[in-house]
Amino acid sequence: MSVPLPLSILDLATVGDGETIREGLEASVALAQRAEELGFRRIWYAEHHNMRAVASSATSVLIAHVAANTERITLGSGGVMLPNHSPLVIAEQFGTLATLHPGRIELGLGRAPGTDQPTVTALRRDPRASDRFPQDVQELQAFLSDESLVPNVHAYPGRGTGVPLTILGSSLYGAQVAAALGLPYAFASHFAPEALEQAVALYRQEFRPSAQLSAPRVMAAVNVIAADSADEAAQRLHDVQRDRVKRFLSRGGQELTDEEAEMLLDAPAGQQIKSMTRYTAAGTPDVVVKYLEDFTRRADADELIVTFPVVDRKAWFRSVELLAEQVRPAAV
């Protein structure tokens, strides 16, 4: 049994309970090195802010560090939240990465802030920046090519690097932007499952070929919890759900205890958080692969990007290895 298409990884650079941020980042480097050995296609890192358990806020810096500690695997953002930045600065950052690591750097772009409203203010984000997202994507793309849209302004480094772009989204809006600009589309179904099928259908229907892409290409994200037994996988899934309740429902700097989060799991707020991970392959490796095959058809995807939400660090690595063992060499 094998997944009939390539697999990539989304690493949220999580910092587990009892870990320092440095230890969390070191784990991300170790994961990239192991994923490279196992033959995974790429790893993406997501821009988030003001989240204690996520260490990928300075996304380009993290990519640079991982790239310097790996040799072949493609690395990118999944994604950079473009309205938080100027297109020129992102072109310079990723142009630098592409110059140092040619052929290994990608740039996924999102429209959301990646954080809460007070942090949006702290980021000095223009409230109207999201409205300019399509134009900013085009400006950024031009900075990475030979033809700047801003007279007499060029990205150095960046100009001529042609860093490939992907539009990320969890709604119909991102699908429309990706289709109009002729760019690949990645849907965040690992935490926002509702509009997956509708958004992919819209993207494929409205896609216009571009210099980067001649036909639509869809990547869909899915959670994977692979374990040596069904009972262990079920417990790992429960731990993930409890951990997310702790993260999302803690308020005022006072984190919920495991016991408090456990009591909230079956409350309406807990159920809503659990529904965010609707697309989760949990079980022994054969069960996981069967789920991924079914999910691929449901999502009408050309590629899957898998994230491993397991809380325990040792089990996190084991989940990656079990999946790779099951699908090699046809799909990874």
Side-chain angles (χ1 to χ4, degrees):
M1 184 180 295
S2 65
V3 178
L5 76 174
L7 292 177
S8 298
I9 294 174
L10 172 64
D11 179 11
L12 297 177
T14 53
V15 180
D17 289 342
E19 284 186 334
T20 65
I21 292 176
R22 184 184 181 95
E23 287 170 337
L25 292 173
E26 287 173 346
S28 286
V29 172
L31 173 67
Q33 292 169 337
R34 186 67 179 125
E36 185 172 75
E37 293 171 359
L38 294 169
F40 280 92
R41 183 169 185 171
R42 63 163 64 81
I43 298 183
W44 277 358
Y45 303 93
E47 177 186 345
H48 293 284
H49 300 280
N50 196 30
M51 297 182 69
R52 181 196 60 80
V54 178
S56 51
S57 53
T59 313
S60 60
V61 178
L62 177 57
I63 292 170
H65 180 62
V66 175
N69 285 278
T70 51
E71 297 179 359
R72 301 176 305 279
I73 195 165
T74 298
L75 301 167
S77 59
V80 161
M81 301 297 105
L82 188 55
N84 292 345
H85 314 275
S86 78
L88 176 60
V89 168
I90 297 302
E92 290 169 343
Q93 290 177 0
F94 279 79
T96 300
L97 289 169
T99 301
L100 292 171
H101 308 282
R104 296 182 58 198
I105 302 300
E106 299 176 335
L107 178 50
L109 300 167
R111 176 174 173 255
T115 189
D116 54 26
Q117 190 56 49
T119 311
V120 168
T121 302
L123 285 166
R124 305 295 193 269
R125 191 179 197 256
D126 183 345
R128 299 164 297 178
S130 295
D131 298 335
R132 299 193 300 269
F133 180 66
Q135 293 78 19
D136 283 351
V137 172
Q138 291 175 300
E139 185 176 308
L140 170 58
Q141 190 173 40
F143 279 135
L144 294 168
S145 71
D146 292 318
E147 299 293 334
S148 173
L149 296 180
V150 182
N152 302 315
V153 178
H154 299 280
Y156 298 114
R159 185 179 185 184
T161 55
V163 176
L165 306 184
T166 298
I167 301 298
L168 280 64
S170 58
S171 68
L172 303 185
Y173 180 85
Q176 291 173 315
V177 172
L181 299 181
L183 295 174
Y185 180 52
F187 192 89
S189 33
H190 63 299
F191 77 90
E194 292 301 326
L196 170 63
E197 293 168 84
Q198 188 179 1
V200 170
L202 179 64
Y203 167 71
R204 291 192 179 280
Q205 177 184 337
E206 297 190 357
F207 180 84
R208 301 175 188 172
S210 68
Q212 179 177 323
L213 195 64
S214 60
R217 184 164 186 81
V218 172
M219 184 185 299
V222 58
N223 301 289
V224 168
I225 301 173
D228 291 291
S229 71
D231 287 344
E232 181 188 352
Q235 183 59 54
R236 298 295 180 197
L237 176 58
H238 183 84
D239 293 343
V240 167
Q241 292 170 339
R242 183 183 62 209
D243 184 67
R244 294 198 174 196
V245 166
K246 285 173 63 176
R247 292 188 195 179
F248 284 100
L249 297 185
S250 294
R251 290 289 183 269
Q254 184 65 41
E255 187 171 280
L256 294 170
T257 65
D258 285 349
E259 292 74 17
E260 290 168 335
E262 195 76 44
M263 290 189 293
L264 288 171
L265 271 173
D266 293 324
Q271 288 295 312
Q272 182 178 2
I273 291 170
K274 288 166 68 174
S275 72
M276 294 167 63
T277 55
R278 177 194 309 170
Y279 295 125
T280 297
T284 53
D286 57 324
V287 171
V288 166
V289 170
K290 178 61 168 63
Y291 184 99
L292 295 182
E293 290 174 336
D294 293 341
F295 176 75
T296 298
R297 288 188 287 270
R298 182 186 186 98
D300 192 16
D302 301 297
E303 184 168 346
L304 297 185
I305 185 159
V306 297
T307 184
F308 300 92
V310 176
V311 176
D312 178 83
R313 189 63 79 184
K314 184 177 179 180
W316 183 63
F317 277 105
R318 181 62 176 157
S319 193
V320 176
E321 292 173 344
L322 285 173
L323 177 61
E325 289 171 7
Q326 189 75 5
V327 300
R328 295 178 75 183
V332 178

